[in-house]
Amino acid sequence: MKVLEGVLSAPNAKIAVVVARFNHFINDSLVDGAVDALKRVGQVKEENITLVKVPGAYELPLAVRRLANTKKFDAIVALGTVIRGGTAHFEYVAGEASSGLGNVALNADIPVAFGVLTTENIEQAIERAGTKAGNKGAEAALVALEMINLLNQIDVA
Ligand code: INI
């Protein structure tokens, strides 16, 4: 049986990390986690990491699509935090970010890691940005690296 599974080390990978400024006090920790994972686990070189900032999570898909279309990156990590408020705004922003990023990955044929927190409150977001529930930015970065290596394996299988 042939099993294809990506490893996490990708020393030659070029990665774009796209982050929303909205809720930046949470997102800054997601970026720190993502960059640390890329460099320390993935062996990605600092000069091969590009950080792109957008206003909010709603804007992530367009920026990610533009980056994907440059063909300069092997994967893109999208980071943001959408916290539920008293209105339906949460659903629109989170829904658009999620489906938009998924569409870009499929249409541009590039790994797009979904590192967007969608939480009920700020506490849940803090827990997922480097405290007791880990760092979802780091997790997303590692998924991006694994998918780069998996897709390369599929191409030569
Ligand atoms: N953007 C976020 O990234 N997180 C949020 O929680 C959020 N809320 O709650 O409003 C948010 N809104 C801004 C949105 O992403 C767009 O920037 C804005 O609607 C302009 O297009």
Side-chain angles (χ1 to χ4, degrees):
M1 179 177 64
K2 193 180 247 185
V3 177
L4 304 180
E5 193 174 26
V7 297
L8 298 180
S9 176
N12 296 315
K14 294 192 170 54
I15 308 290
V17 176
V18 188
V19 63
R21 275 199 309 273
F22 203 105
N23 290 327
H24 74 88
F25 58 102
I26 304 281
N27 299 341
D28 290 349
S29 297
L30 297 178
V31 171
D32 288 348
V35 171
D36 177 65
L38 290 173
K39 286 170 35 180
R40 203 165 45 79
V41 182
Q43 326 257 290
V44 178
K45 298 176 196 71
E46 172 117 35
E47 64 265 30
N48 287 342
I49 303 172
T50 301
L51 180 64
V52 178
K53 298 187 180 189
V54 297
Y58 187 86
E59 283 72 35
L60 287 169
L62 179 59
V64 168
R65 187 172 73 165
R66 196 57 77 92
L67 287 160
N69 287 342
T70 67
K71 309 270 187 217
K72 290 181 181 163
F73 301 97
D74 299 298
I76 303 173
V77 181
L79 303 174
T81 303
V82 192
I83 300 173
R84 191 185 290 279
T87 71
H89 198 66
F90 170 94
E91 320 287 348
Y92 290 110
V93 174
E96 210 53 46
S98 160
S99 63
L101 291 170
N103 285 337
V104 176
L106 295 179
N107 291 331
D109 197 26
I110 181 175
V112 176
F114 185 69
V116 180
L117 302 178
T118 56
T119 65
E120 294 297 317
N121 51 51
I122 289 173
E123 288 71 27
Q124 286 182 349
I126 291 170
E127 283 171 10
R128 289 158 179 76
T131 61
K132 70 180 182 187
N135 187 312
K136 298 298 170 193
E139 287 178 26
L142 297 182
V143 165
L145 297 179
E146 180 174 340
M147 287 303 293
I148 291 171
N149 288 322
L150 174 64
L151 296 184
N152 285 339
Q153 280 191 40
I154 290 173
D155 287 345
V156 298

